């Protein structure tokens, strides 16, 4: 039986018509020739469907090792809430949140020790994906790890804690699919929606770097590689 074609729906913008994306078998970091075509989500924002699919095993093994050293935790926001998403980080610095605000710090506040080093396979993926989206010299110095369980969500926000906003953010989705929403920079209203699936990578740069974006509550499910959750790894240049 042929599996159903993968449909991508873009709710509000007809120029982002639904596209069916074939399975890919190439070595994704080396051979760009038979990957599905990149999809433009906005000015400077590119979806690379399934870009990391063939490296998911190595990426998840490296992730497990990072999380052994810096376990996931649910951080407190300056507004006094506790995030539904559990987070950790690796690299030269890590993103943290507490009653005093959001910031990048060289030490994991949970352990007082430096964050785990960025695994080679993370850095290589981030650089390769950025290059494929037209940012040829991207070198991430941090990776923010988000874990979504049943119902976890991220309300629309901008990412502006990084020092130099001319660097893109590279976002990798693993495990269960998520409904993702994003809009114009400086505008919270009229967000577009798309589904981010296992192995998808999105590169957010240029005019989209300050776009509002968020993740709708995760629908319960099971994924063969991650079980009941979704991971999002976002590679950033923060310093
Ligand atoms: C669009 N995470 O951690 S990553 C975050 O799926 C965050 O966990 C989401 O937003 C997640 O801050 C989405 C994709 C992402 C990251 C940065 C962006 C999208 C972006 C910056 C500008 C516009
Ligand atoms: Fe964000």
């Amino acid at each position: 039986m042929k599996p159903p074609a993968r449909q991508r729906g873009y709710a509000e913008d007809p120029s982002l018509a639904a596209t069916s994306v074939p399975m890919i078998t190439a070595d994704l970091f080396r051979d760009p020739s038979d990957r599905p075509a990149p999809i433009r989500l906005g000015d400077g924002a590119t979806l690379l469907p399934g870009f990391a699919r063939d490296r998911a095993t190595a990426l998840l093994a490296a992730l497990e090792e990072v999380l052994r050293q810096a376990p996931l935790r649910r951080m407190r926001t300056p507004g006094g809430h506790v995030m539904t998403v559990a987070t950790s980080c690796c690299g030269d610095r890590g993103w943290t949140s507490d009653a005093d605000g959001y910031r990048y710090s060289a030490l994991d506040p949970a352990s007082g020790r430096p964050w785990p080093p960025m695994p080679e396979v993370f850095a290589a993926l981030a650089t390769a994906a950025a290059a494929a989206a037209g940012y040829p010299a991207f070198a991430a110095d941090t990776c923010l790890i988000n874990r979504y369980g049943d119902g976890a969500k991220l309300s629309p926000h901008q990412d502006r804690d990084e020092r130099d906003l001319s660097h893109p953010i590279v976002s990798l989705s693993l495990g269960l699919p998520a409904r993702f929403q994003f809009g114009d920079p400086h505008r919270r209203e009229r967000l577009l929606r798309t589904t981010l699936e296992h192995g998808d990578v999105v590169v957010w740069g240029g005019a989209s770097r300050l776009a509002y974006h968020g993740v709708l509550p995760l629908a319960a499910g099971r994924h063969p590689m991650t079980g009941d959750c979704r991971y999002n790894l976002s590679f950033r240049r923060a310093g």
Side-chain angles (χ1 to χ4, degrees):
M1 265 269 277
K2 204 165 157 255
R6 182 177 171 199
Q7 293 298 124
R8 288 191 174 277
Y10 295 90
E12 290 167 42
D13 182 345
S15 75
L16 302 171
T19 311
S20 98
V21 178
M23 276 288 259
I24 43 155
T25 52
D27 179 337
L28 290 164
F29 293 8
R30 274 177 236 150
D31 177 13
S33 59
D34 46 350
R35 289 175 193 154
I39 296 170
R40 184 183 172 280
L41 296 182
D43 192 357
T46 305
L47 168 61
L48 303 169
F51 188 86
R53 234 174 190 280
D54 286 3
R55 289 307 172 99
T57 302
L59 289 161
L60 284 165
L63 176 61
E64 192 176 329
E65 175 59 20
V66 166
L67 296 180
R68 214 176 45 72
Q69 302 169 64
L72 290 159
R73 76 294 304 263
R74 286 173 61 194
M75 287 196 284
R76 211 166 274 284
T77 68
H81 295 97
V82 176
M83 293 174 66
T84 54
V85 178
T87 67
S88 186
C89 298
C90 61
D92 295 341
R93 58 200 105 240
W95 184 86
T96 66
S97 172
D98 61 22
D100 298 331
Y102 307 116
R103 67 195 157 277
Y104 282 97
S105 109
L107 302 179
D108 175 355
S111 67
R113 288 183 281 115
W115 296 99
M118 174 105 60
E120 250 334 294
V121 66
F122 283 17
L125 169 77
T127 297
Y135 301 93
F138 179 63
D141 63 6
T142 181
C143 171
L144 170 60
I145 298 155
N146 290 336
R147 181 191 190 279
Y148 295 76
D150 190 1
K153 67 179 170 74
L154 208 54
S155 302
H157 64 278
Q158 292 173 300
D159 288 27
R160 51 189 323 154
D161 298 326
E162 299 74 26
R163 184 169 299 161
D164 178 352
L165 298 175
S166 71
H167 296 295
I169 291 180
V170 175
S171 153
L172 163 67
S173 293
L174 292 169
L176 289 176
R179 291 295 285 167
F180 178 76
Q181 49 183 355
F182 60 98
D184 285 346
H186 315 298
R187 198 173 66 171
R188 270 176 215 272
E189 303 80 31
R190 290 168 44 75
L191 300 179
L192 301 177
R193 290 182 178 180
T194 188
T195 300
L196 294 180
E197 294 185 22
H198 178 73
D200 285 351
V201 174
V202 189
V203 181
W204 302 91
S208 293
R209 180 62 180 75
L210 286 174
Y212 278 91
H213 59 279
V215 180
L216 297 172
L218 191 83
R222 284 207 80 74
H223 188 277
M225 296 189 76
T226 65
D228 60 3
C229 76
R230 166 185 188 249
Y231 290 102
N232 180 268
L233 276 53
S234 55
F235 300 96
R236 302 151 187 256
R237 183 150 199 99

